[in-house]
Amino acid sequence: MTPMSKPVVTRFAPSPTGFLHIGGARTALFNWLYARGRGGKFLLRIEDTDRERSTPEATAAILQGMEWLGLDHDGDVISQFDGAARHAEVANQLLAEGKAYKCFATQEEIAEFREQAKADGKSTLYRSPWRDVDSADHPDAPYVVRIKAPQSGITTIKDQVQGDVTIRNDQLDDMILLRSDGTPVYMLAVVVDDHDMGVTHVIRGDDHLNNAARQMTIYEAMGWDVPVWAHIPLIHGPNGKKLSKRHGALGAQEYQSMGYPAAGMRNYLARLGWSHGDDEFFTDAQALDWFDFDGIGKSPARFDTKKLENLSGQHIAVSEDAALQHEIQAYLASAGQPALNDVQSANLEKAMYCLKERAKKFPDLLEKAEFALASRPIQPDQKAAKALSSVFIRILSELTPQLQNVSWTRDDLERLLNSLAEAHDTKFGKLAGPLRAALAGRAVTPSVFDMMLILGREETMARLADTAG
RNA sequence: GGCCCGUUCGUCUAUCGGUUAGGACGCCAGGUUUUCAACCUGGAAAGACGAGUUCGAUUCUCGUACGGGCUGCCA
C-alpha cells in the first residue's frame, strides 16, 4: 500500500439466517479494525438473497450484536436483495457479450449426473451441454444463466493471509448467475455489490477461499478490479470441530447476557487468530494501530472461555466507573434482570473502585456489590449465617458502641478492629468473617474496611445492631 | 471421490535457517492475605510422522497421517 493508494473500504456481509455467532463477530471485528485503523470505511451488507431462509429477526439480532460489540458501520445497512435488478443487469450484459449463456438443463438432469459421477468415483463437476449451443437451437423452456468460466490455464488468488493459492481452471464450473426464475444467486451478487460499493479489501472466512477463484471469473468478465483478498481461518469449538449451534456456538449477545464487557470481548476475539508479538491485553486504540494481515494466523483457533474471562476481568478493572455503570445496566437488561434503581446505582458508583478490580464478569461484580445494593435488614445467606456464631455476635455487639466515636477512616477502623481482636485473644482475621457476614450477608465481598467506609458510620452500626438482634 | 487450506505446550500464540523453542490463559507447588479477586516465587507442559535440501532445520521441498473447507438454481 502506498500513501497514494485509494482509501480502504471493507465490509461485513452476514446472511440473516441466525444470530451473529462468534466467528461472524470476529470477521466483522477484523474488517472493522482494518478499515477504521486506516481511516477507511466499514460497510455492512445483509446477504438476504435467499428469501427462504432470511428473516428480519436474524437481521435484527446481527445488528444488535454488532452494536453491543461497538462495531459501527458507515452508511446505511445494505440489503443485497434490494440490488437484484442490478445483479440481473450485469448477468444480462454478460449474456449479451457472449461471456455467459443460457443453460436449459433441468435440476433433475444435473442431480442425476452428479449421482452417477459419484457412483463412478468421477468428478462431480457439471459441464453444461448448452455452453456453445446457438441461440437458434434454444428450446422454449426455463433456463438458468451460467458464466463461461475458463477451462484451461490457472487462476491465482493472491491472498493476504493464505498466500498465493492457485487453482487449475479445469476445476472451475460454469456457475449459475441467474436462477431459472431470473433471480440472481449469491456468487453474482457478492461480486457486483462489492464492486459497486467500492470494496477494496474482502476479509472473510476461509470457507470462501475456493469461491474467490470462481468469483474472479466474474470480475474478469466485467473488466473490474479484483479486490484484495484476505481469507481468515474459521473458529472452532472447544472440541476442535467447526463451530455450530449443535456444538454450543453462542450468539454474540449471549456473551453480553453472561456479563462479559464488550471491550474484553473485542480484545479476546482480536487475539483469536491474530497476534502482535506477545501482546495479550490491549486497548481498542492499540488494536486499531497494530492490526494488519501479517499478524493473522493460518490455522483455525478454538474458543477458550478461561482466557476470555481473564481478559474480561482486566478490562473491567481499567474501565471508567461511569462506563461500567452503563454497561452493567445493559447487561442486566439483556439478562432479563431488573434494572438497578437510583439508590442502588448511586451506591454501586461509590463502591465501584473496590469492585471492579476483583471481578471477571458483571455477575461476579454484582455478587460482590450485594452489600451496597441490599437494604436493611440484611438477610445472611447460608455461608454468611455460618460465620455468625453466638460468640462472634457477642463480640460484634461489643464493637458497635465503639464505632460511635472512632474517626471514620481506614487507619482508625483498622486500629480499632485489631485491638478488639487482641482483647479477645484472637486475630483480626477471625473477626473479619462475622463482620463481613453482618455487613453484607455474604461470604464474598470487598474488604470489610472498604464496606464500612462506603456504608458509613450510621448504616454500619445499624447493620451490626440488626445482627446482634 | 475431486480440488483447496491447515498442523509449535491442554488452549491462544512468538519464532521470518543457528534460541536452553519465548509469552499468555489454564494447571500444579509454595508465599502473601480479611472472604473472593488480585499479587509474588517456582514448576510441569510443544515443533503430527517420514524423507530430502543444507555445515545446520520448528522454519525450505516432497510424501504420509490427521483436521478443516469447497464441490447447490444456499450464503
Side-chain angles (χ1 to χ4, degrees):
Chain A
M1 287 294 110
T2 66
M4 294 302 289
S5 60
K6 50 184 179 177
V8 167
V9 178
T10 66
R11 49 63 162 186
F12 176 52
S15 54
T17 54
F19 47 54
L20 175 66
H21 63 79
I22 226 62
R26 189 188 60 153
T27 301
L29 175 65
F30 280 17
N31 275 283
W32 182 84
L33 285 171
Y34 193 80
R36 290 268 183 270
R38 270 154 252 269
K41 282 192 175 5
F42 170 60
L43 310 178
L44 178 60
R45 183 176 72 225
I46 304 294
E47 313 248 71
D48 53 358
T49 53
D50 183 345
R51 305 315 284 172
E52 299 281 298
R53 299 196 298 161
S54 298
T55 67
E57 291 74 26
T59 299
I62 289 167
L63 258 26
Q64 277 175 31
M66 299 272 292
E67 191 183 340
W68 172 57
L69 283 167
L71 305 180
D72 56 319
H73 58 272
D74 290 296
D76 295 332
V77 177
I78 295 163
S79 156
Q80 184 160 67
F81 180 71
D82 288 350
R86 154 100 259 236
H87 305 147
E89 176 191 318
V90 170
N92 287 130
Q93 181 184 333
L94 256 17
L95 200 52
E97 292 173 359
K99 293 172 178 168
Y101 62 95
K102 296 177 181 177
C103 171
F104 296 87
T106 65
Q107 297 196 53
E108 292 69 39
E109 281 170 34
I110 298 171
E112 199 176 316
F113 160 81
R114 289 215 172 90
E115 242 169 77
Q116 189 57 244
K118 212 164 217 173
D120 297 346
K122 290 198 279 208
S123 168
T124 55
L125 193 100
Y126 181 69
R127 294 271 183 221
S128 171
W130 299 95
R131 178 166 163 132
D132 297 309
V133 173
D134 195 273
S135 62
D137 297 326
H138 281 353
D140 182 20
Y143 60 87
V144 298
V145 174
R146 289 181 185 272
I147 192 159
K148 284 186 184 169
Q151 296 181 318
S152 61
I154 55 168
T155 295
T156 298
I157 303 158
K158 294 176 74 69
D159 195 277
Q160 298 302 300
V161 174
Q162 309 289 339
D164 286 0
V165 177
T166 299
I167 293 182
R168 291 208 318 273
N169 289 155
D170 59 17
Q171 297 296 325
L172 264 28
D173 63 344
D174 290 347
M175 64 180 167
I176 290 174
L177 265 20
L178 254 32
R179 302 184 180 95
S180 50
D181 64 359
T183 58
V185 299
Y186 161 79
M187 284 289 184
L188 202 217
V190 235
V191 173
V192 175
D193 285 347
D194 282 343
H195 171 265
D196 288 359
M197 289 160 68
V199 172
T200 57
H201 299 253
V202 171
I203 304 168
R204 73 230 297 194
D206 69 7
D207 49 339
H208 287 284
L209 184 57
N210 288 288
N211 290 338
R214 310 207 289 155
Q215 288 162 200
M216 277 169 74
T217 71
I218 301 178
Y219 280 100
E220 265 151 41
M222 292 301 290
W224 290 340
D225 286 342
V226 175
V228 174
W229 306 111
H231 289 94
I232 63 180
L234 267 16
I235 293 177
H236 285 179
N239 56 2
K241 299 282 186 204
K242 186 186 180 185
L243 220 45
S244 71
K245 289 170 198 173
R246 282 189 51 212
H247 288 117
L250 300 175
Q253 290 215 267
E254 302 206 41
Y255 289 90
Q256 179 185 26
S257 307
M258 285 188 273
Y260 292 102
M265 200 69 195
R266 280 194 295 274
N267 188 160
Y268 178 69
L269 250 23
R271 194 62 190 67
L272 205 53
W274 171 77
S275 62
H276 181 265
D278 284 336
D279 295 305
E280 301 285 350
F281 171 76
F282 42 78
T283 63
D284 289 332
Q286 287 172 309
L288 253 4
D289 188 32
W290 294 337
F291 188 80
D292 204 349
F293 296 134
D294 58 17
I296 301 177
K298 290 179 153 195
S299 51
R302 299 186 194 195
F303 197 86
D304 179 14
T305 307
K306 291 287 191 191
K307 187 141 185 181
L308 202 213
E309 279 187 1
N310 178 276
L311 253 12
S312 166
Q314 292 190 62
H315 275 92
I316 288 176
V318 302
S319 291
E320 298 287 338
D321 292 1
L324 245 20
Q325 282 274 0
H326 280 120
E327 226 179 330
I328 286 169
Q329 291 284 19
Y331 150 69
L332 288 170
S334 83
Q337 292 184 45
L340 301 179
N341 61 36
D342 290 349
V343 174
Q344 289 176 315
S345 285
N347 288 341
L348 181 61
E349 198 176 317
K350 273 191 276 180
M352 198 65 95
Y353 77 92
C354 64
L355 293 168
K356 66 181 184 182
E357 287 184 355
R358 49 211 325 150
K360 292 184 168 175
K361 299 190 280 184
F362 294 138
D364 310 346
L365 191 150
L366 258 9
E367 160 79 20
K368 287 169 178 167
E370 184 61 19
F371 81 95
L373 267 19
S375 46
R376 293 179 48 217
I378 302 299
Q379 295 296 326
D381 66 13
Q382 219 176 11
K383 278 187 183 168
K386 250 176 98 179
L388 291 167
S389 64
S390 57
V391 32
F392 281 115
I393 289 179
R394 214 172 313 124
I395 299 176
L396 290 185
S397 55
E398 192 180 315
L399 168 67
T400 311
Q402 298 182 35
L403 290 174
Q404 188 61 255
N405 297 313
V406 68
S407 81
W408 209 251
T409 63
R410 184 181 305 263
D411 282 353
D412 285 325
L413 288 171
E414 261 183 60
R415 225 179 325 262
L416 176 63
L417 266 308
N418 278 318
S419 61
L420 179 68
E422 214 171 309
H424 285 87
D425 207 25
T426 182
K427 285 185 173 174
F428 164 67
K430 295 284 185 196
L431 259 43
L435 223 198
R436 168 174 294 112
L439 294 176
R442 298 295 159 100
V444 175
T445 75
S447 141
V448 293
F449 297 112
D450 280 321
M451 290 196 287
M452 290 168 87
L453 257 13
I454 291 161
L455 255 17
R457 190 195 309 268
E458 199 181 318
E459 180 71 13
T460 298
M461 290 178 68
R463 291 189 184 191
L464 291 181
D466 286 346
T467 302

